[in-house]
Amino acid sequence: MRVLTPIKLTVDISQLKYESSGEPLIDIAPRKMGDSDKCAIEEAVRLKEKHNAHTVVVTVGSTPDHERMVRDAYAMGIDEGYIIEVDGHENLQAVNVGEIIASMAEKTGPYDLIILGAGSLDTHSYTLGPIVASRIGIPIIASVDSLNYVEGYIEAKSVMEDGTYIYRSKPPLVVTVTTEANEPRIPTLKTILKSKKMEVKRLSIEQLGVRLEKVGLVEVKKYIIQRKNIVWDASEDFEKAVDNLVNLLVGEV
Amino acid sequence: MRILVYGETVEWLKQVREIAEILNSEVYGVIPSRELVNQASKILDKAYVFDGLTYEPNTYHKIIRRVSDKVKPDVTLFPSTIKGRTLAGLYAGEKGQPIITDVLNLRYIAGGLEIERLVYGGSCIATIRSTLPATICISIGAFKPSEKQVNGEIEYLEEIRESAVQTEFRSREYVGVPLERAEIVVAAGRGFKKKEDLEIVKELSRILNGAWSVTRPLAADYGWSDTWIGISGATINPKIYLAVGVSGQPLHMIAVRNSKTIIAINKDPSAPIFNEADYGVIGDLYQVLPKLLEKLKKKLG
């Protein structure tokens, strides 16, 4: 079995800072691998351990952070890693990123499973897995909280607002996993040292034959909704604070 | 100009009617349930209806694609829910067209659309320009529902039965009002110390004829609930969102920002939620909630 895990370098939102004008300082914000991407790697490595899968990661963009991220994946147990060299990767159309990954999968595959993190936190939220599935022309099992490979079938569970969906299908498949799927392993010193010696392969956009279009970005600003911001301190007047809540809630009942 | 929409709820379709008015477009819908037919035909210019199929994205996508081949839309709209985003990704991937999620606003410009969308986990708003045709996921509650009524056509679709993915669905048993339709939502955050303490939140929501939920850590880390409010869970836009012991992390707030009024109870005066709330009480929820419940019971009989 061959498993491909596309991973994405994302802006670490918890460390985002802003100009006084409200413009976020994107260029200096730290980048990291998405949390659900780590869960996707963990699922791939578990398939390697249990079912002898050959595991591959791919990332789109050519900064030093991208190479670091591929090495982090090696340290978790991934066998092979590719960097797709693109400048300005953060302004690519989501559909282009999907095309790049689909083209890479066709060139270096075939793969039985393509496992992605369900959601990245910056711009391609929950759509990259479905785009890749469509581009390759294989089915998707999306946003799963658990994943098992049993007698040639993938079995997966997805908890949604209206209930629980249990999916079962034979590979080839695209599967997207949420952060509930597993607890990603922490690399050991030994695997980290080993990861530094492994080769990182590189492919260019020309080799993949994808034509790119940038997002037509006009501006980015901090999102502020005007709220009333009226606050009562219960330690000053407990009864009054609770009465105010009652009036607010009953006014709408 | 033509809009195609995938629609599961009447509230969402009414928001799409509002978008159709803004863009001065005809709006066609793919509707996955016969129960919605009567209302959908008054909102949409034409409703393509199928029924009796458990949600499974690959099968639903085939149906949407079939309708799209007839309608040939300039803009295809989905709600920015997990299901909507999945279907939108399959659709845009197949068509090779731009896809934009978490959209708050849009307008026509020469050659396409100018769109405002949430980025970076909802902390920022980006203005972008897109060519047409495009696939767009609208942030739930970003547009007010239009009450305009039309006399739309209805076409029943032949069902597609075969699917590569077998699906089994176990419906959630709702006690009270479903979260997405509730006018008042009470949510519990990490200020709660144990699962049993959520009983008071449930009782409060029952008295207010609303719904209750939790933030992600209470569901995903502690297992106190199957679902939660947040970017990876449910998105809500009630009249009142009452957040109890909720600190206000960005990935939670993105899912509640379209609430009309936000009220917070938190003992930490520096909790970020107070910056995004209309009204707040700084106080210990273990003291405030029992008193609030007592007074509400007295007032509402």
Side-chain angles (χ1 to χ4, degrees):
Chain A
M1 180 162 48
R2 287 174 60 84
V3 180
L4 175 65
T5 304
I7 50 178
K8 189 175 179 213
L9 190 68
T10 58
V11 171
D12 185 349
I13 294 154
S14 63
Q15 296 196 51
L16 200 53
K17 294 189 167 53
Y18 302 90
E19 296 264 23
S20 55
S21 63
E23 196 181 329
L25 297 163
I26 299 296
D27 291 346
I28 62 158
R31 264 62 171 176
K32 63 168 194 177
M33 195 196 306
D35 292 339
S36 64
D37 290 6
K38 278 192 184 160
C39 294
I41 291 174
E42 177 64 33
E43 289 298 332
V45 174
R46 286 182 188 184
L47 286 167
K48 172 182 169 177
E49 289 165 347
K50 280 191 210 149
H51 304 283
N52 206 24
H54 178 74
T55 56
V56 181
V57 294
V58 59
T59 186
V60 178
S62 34
T63 69
D65 281 338
H66 286 90
E67 187 176 326
R68 176 177 53 85
M69 196 168 60
V70 171
R71 295 201 184 280
D72 288 347
Y74 287 159
M76 285 177 74
I78 293 287
D79 301 308
E80 195 180 349
Y82 287 85
I83 282 177
I84 312 298
E85 295 186 313
V86 187
D87 291 331
H89 62 96
E90 287 180 353
N91 287 324
L92 289 176
Q93 300 258 13
V95 70
N96 277 165
V97 179
E99 282 170 329
I100 292 168
I101 289 165
S103 174
M104 179 276 174
E106 276 158 10
K107 201 175 176 73
T108 63
Y111 294 94
D112 302 284
L113 286 176
I114 300 179
I115 306 179
L116 300 91
S120 80
L121 292 181
D122 41 16
T123 51
H124 302 162
S125 250
Y126 296 89
T127 61
L128 190 58
I131 293 170
V132 170
S134 254
R135 297 306 302 182
I136 299 178
I138 57 176
I140 187 168
I141 295 180
S143 289
V144 306
D145 305 305
S146 73
L147 178 63
N148 285 299
Y149 183 62
V150 186
E151 292 166 4
Y153 281 85
I154 287 290
E155 294 177 351
K157 188 178 85 174
S158 171
V159 179
M160 301 241 216
E161 194 43 42
D162 57 349
T164 302
Y165 293 81
I166 294 156
Y167 299 116
R168 187 167 186 267
S169 186
K170 271 194 167 154
L173 281 174
V174 171
V175 181
T176 65
V177 298
T178 70
T179 50
E180 278 66 56
N182 57 53
E183 197 65 51
R185 69 193 61 198
I186 313 279
T188 62
L189 185 60
K190 196 176 152 200
T191 59
I192 292 170
L193 289 173
K194 190 175 157 225
S195 74
K196 292 191 192 301
K197 295 188 191 121
M198 289 170 71
E199 183 197 0
V200 176
K201 295 177 180 169
R202 288 168 190 272
L203 288 171
S204 69
I205 285 296
E206 291 72 30
Q207 283 171 291
L208 297 176
V210 180
R211 204 173 62 88
L212 301 180
E213 283 173 48
K214 296 278 162 73
V215 172
L217 188 66
V218 180
E219 63 165 11
V220 184
K221 283 218 151 136
K222 189 171 187 177
Y223 181 42
I224 299 162
I225 291 182
Q226 286 306 321
R227 296 279 177 189
K228 296 192 181 83
N229 300 125
I230 298 169
V231 177
W232 302 291
D233 192 338
S235 67
E236 284 168 13
D237 190 340
F238 183 74
E239 291 289 327
K240 183 84 197 319
V242 177
D243 284 340
N244 286 334
L245 285 177
V246 170
N247 291 337
L248 287 168
L249 293 168
V250 171
E252 289 291 337
V253 171
Chain B
M1 285 288 200
R2 291 174 157 208
I3 294 174
L4 178 66
V5 57
Y6 165 71
E8 281 183 339
T9 70
V10 172
E11 291 85 349
W12 157 241
L13 292 177
K14 285 181 175 175
Q15 291 171 37
V16 172
R17 169 50 72 186
E18 176 70 13
I19 296 169
E21 298 297 308
I22 291 168
L23 298 182
N24 193 22
S25 297
E26 291 173 349
V27 57
Y28 301 78
V30 182
I31 308 298
S33 164
R34 278 174 188 265
E35 283 176 26
L36 295 172
V37 167
N38 278 339
Q39 283 170 290
S41 68
K42 291 182 189 127
I43 301 168
L44 302 167
D45 294 295
K46 184 162 182 178
Y48 293 87
V49 184
F50 66 99
D51 197 60
L53 273 185
T54 301
Y55 167 79
E56 193 283 295
N58 304 286
T59 312
Y60 272 36
H61 168 60
K62 280 185 198 160
I63 296 171
I64 294 166
R65 182 179 62 192
R66 210 163 53 174
V67 175
S68 166
D69 288 344
K70 293 185 196 177
V71 173
K72 298 187 171 51
D74 304 287
V75 178
T76 307
L77 297 179
F78 296 84
S80 275
T81 58
I82 300 285
K83 286 182 187 174
R85 290 169 199 261
T86 305
L87 293 170
L90 289 172
Y91 184 85
E94 185 168 306
K95 299 277 178 192
Q97 58 182 236
I99 174 167
I100 302 125
T101 58
D102 302 290
V103 169
L104 293 179
N105 211 346
L106 40 76
R107 66 183 182 92
Y108 273 131
I109 53 166
L113 291 175
E114 187 164 280
I115 294 162
E116 286 176 10
R117 62 165 304 194
L118 293 170
V119 288
Y120 305 121
S123 60
C124 295
I125 188 162
T127 307
I128 58 167
R129 290 187 179 143
S130 178
T131 52
L132 292 173
T135 302
I136 291 174
C137 296
I138 302 288
S139 186
I140 293 289
F143 291 85
K144 69 173 168 51
S146 164
E147 294 304 327
K148 185 182 165 175
Q149 296 220 334
V150 298
N151 193 8
E153 286 177 59
I154 300 166
E155 183 178 325
Y156 290 95
L157 294 165
E158 218 176 285
E159 278 160 28
I160 294 177
R161 283 281 172 208
E162 84 281 7
S163 172
V165 179
Q166 299 169 32
T167 309
E168 184 192 326
F169 176 58
R170 293 177 202 150
S171 179
R172 181 178 312 287
E173 283 177 26
Y174 286 110
V175 181
V177 191
L179 194 55
E180 275 130 350
R181 282 183 224 155
E183 295 202 338
I184 297 186
V185 174
V186 187
R190 267 194 292 198
F192 283 80
K193 291 179 190 136
K194 53 184 196 290
K195 188 180 178 182
E196 293 71 43
D197 298 343
L198 296 183
E199 289 307 317
I200 196 163
V201 170
K202 295 180 194 173
E203 197 176 351
L204 197 59
S205 71
R206 193 177 52 75
I207 284 184
L208 295 166
N209 196 25
W212 71 276
S213 188
V214 298
T215 58
R216 186 171 167 274
L218 273 65
D221 299 341
Y222 309 162
W224 295 355
S225 165
D226 287 343
T227 57
W228 60 90
I229 298 169
I231 191 168
S232 60
T235 299
I236 56 166
N237 61 325
K239 280 190 180 159
I240 293 185
Y241 172 52
L242 176 60
V244 188
V246 173
S247 63
Q249 294 302 316
L251 301 183
H252 176 74
M253 295 313 290
I254 187 178
V256 303
R257 279 209 169 122
N258 292 322
S259 305
K260 197 167 167 227
T261 301
I262 297 179
I263 308 173
I265 301 171
N266 202 303
K267 69 178 175 187
D268 177 7
S270 64
I273 193 151
F274 287 121
N275 297 326
E276 300 204 50
D278 294 287
Y279 304 97
V281 167
I282 301 166
D284 185 346
L285 69 93
Y286 286 96
Q287 291 167 9
V288 175
L289 281 197
K291 194 74 185 170
L292 178 62
L293 196 61
E294 181 197 317
K295 288 192 184 230
L296 278 172
K297 277 182 179 167
K298 208 178 279 176
K299 194 128 184 169
L300 297 169

